Amino acid sequence: MAQFIRYREHGGPEVLTLVEGPVPEAPAGSVVVEVRAAGVNPVDSKIRSGRRGTRDFSEPQGLGADASGVVVAVGEGVDGVRAGDEVIVHSASGAYASHVVAKPSQLTPKPAALSFEQGAALGIPAGTAYQVLRSLGLREGETLLLHAGSGGVGQAAIQFARAWGANVVATASPGNHERLHELGAVPVSYGPGLVDRLRAASPRGYDVALDAAGTDEAIEACLELVADRSRIATIVRMMDAADLGIRTWSSAIPSTMGPEELRLRAEGVAEAARLAAEGRFHVEVSARYPLAEAADAQRESEAGHVRGKIVLIP
């Protein structure tokens, strides 16, 4: 039997329940992956609560887009994927489970340098960071101002930027500064005097800004320090970004993404996996919960201040 997290109504984490059912069969054009770990992302809580997207509750709904595991069944018409392959799953549906159905385009080979837990933590963070930085045109020699550098998206953004030859100054609480140093960023604390500290950290200025915090302080610093507002993006502050003239991206629901967005997200996961295989991309897993405790995992995620990623273990 397989296990799945399901919910029948929008609400708090308590609406999530563990159910059992048959192991799914592989439809034509798809595979079944036995999940070894599933990633918990902030957007999952927004979907569950009804703040993002819509749900048809004529059937119980699944949750989760990211996972990693082993292919156990291959549907008709699938080439290049075999049973026994260790893979990273991204942009899928219902990944909070012991088994998930995915298309080949939603799979990336998992390098040996990454554990299954680390692989499950890649999808949305790496895909989002990559898509935003590529769309903003971050180039070698430029300097990125990054807010909330210690989160999943922030850590991925630092590592992509450094791999591409850019400099990074990232805001974080003092307890996370050592981690940002390890990844190659210059850490700066939040709080009064932030803009002055950021100017001192990069006297030549800033070319690009990515806000993953969403606070007034973060947005105001971006506007003060980056002259070209088309090179400022937020993945949190959606409500007034257009009025400010800055760009927005979100940890979007896969079913709502267009082909180009899905392509960039997949490219980002593949790039992170490639860099990880070379020892140039490191994934921090901060907490592990059994699949049955998905509600508790989401409570921790919603509390904020998560460093790295939370994963579920079936």
Side-chain angles (χ1 to χ4, degrees), residues 33-140:
V33 177
E34 183 179 86
V35 175
R36 300 295 175 82
V40 175
N41 293 290
V43 71
D44 300 338
S45 295
K46 295 175 183 177
I47 295 169
R48 183 216 70 229
S49 66
R51 288 178 289 151
R52 180 75 62 82
T54 59
R55 282 290 184 268
D56 173 10
F57 289 107
S58 59
E59 297 288 341
Q61 297 296 302
L63 199 61
D66 298 341
S68 67
V70 179
V71 175
V72 292
V74 178
E76 183 179 353
V78 173
D79 295 320
V81 183
R82 297 179 299 177
D85 286 351
E86 297 184 351
V87 295
I88 296 166
V89 183
H90 52 87
S91 303
S93 178
Y96 286 19
S98 64
H99 296 76
V100 65
V101 175
K103 297 182 180 300
S105 61
Q106 297 169 323
L107 304 177
T108 296
K110 186 188 76 65
L114 287 178
S115 68
F116 284 110
E117 294 177 2
Q118 291 171 317
L122 274 186
I124 284 179
T128 301
Y130 183 91
Q131 180 190 9
V132 173
L133 295 184
R134 283 300 192 204
S135 298
L136 292 174
L138 181 66
R139 296 183 290 271
E140 182 178 1

Side-chain angles (χ1 to χ4, degrees), residues 130-259:
Y130 183 91
Q131 180 190 9
V132 173
L133 295 184
R134 283 300 192 204
S135 298
L136 292 174
L138 181 66
R139 296 183 290 271
E140 182 178 1
E142 291 189 324
T143 300
L144 168 68
L145 168 57
L146 172 65
H147 290 293
S150 63
V153 173
Q155 292 196 29
I158 292 169
Q159 294 180 88
F160 283 137
R162 296 297 292 148
W164 302 342
N167 305 305
V168 183
V169 176
T171 58
S173 58
N176 293 323
H177 284 193
E178 182 178 352
R179 174 61 176 168
L180 301 192
H181 269 305
E182 292 171 355
L183 297 178
V186 176
V188 172
S189 296
Y190 304 114
L194 174 61
V195 169
D196 290 338
R197 290 193 296 277
L198 289 171
R199 283 199 175 102
S202 179
R204 65 169 295 278
Y206 295 88
D207 305 285
V208 175
L210 168 55
D211 164 51
T215 63
D216 288 343
E217 177 186 56
I219 294 295
E220 289 165 6
C222 292
L223 297 174
E224 178 75 19
L225 297 170
V226 178
D228 184 353
R229 293 196 178 189
S230 71
R231 302 194 78 192
I232 301 173
T234 179
I235 62 170
V236 183
R237 191 73 167 262
M238 308 302 174
M239 62 282 193
D240 56 357
D243 293 337
L244 296 170
I246 65 177
R247 303 171 70 181
T248 62
W249 278 269
S250 68
S251 300
I253 305 166
S255 62
T256 68
M257 297 182 193

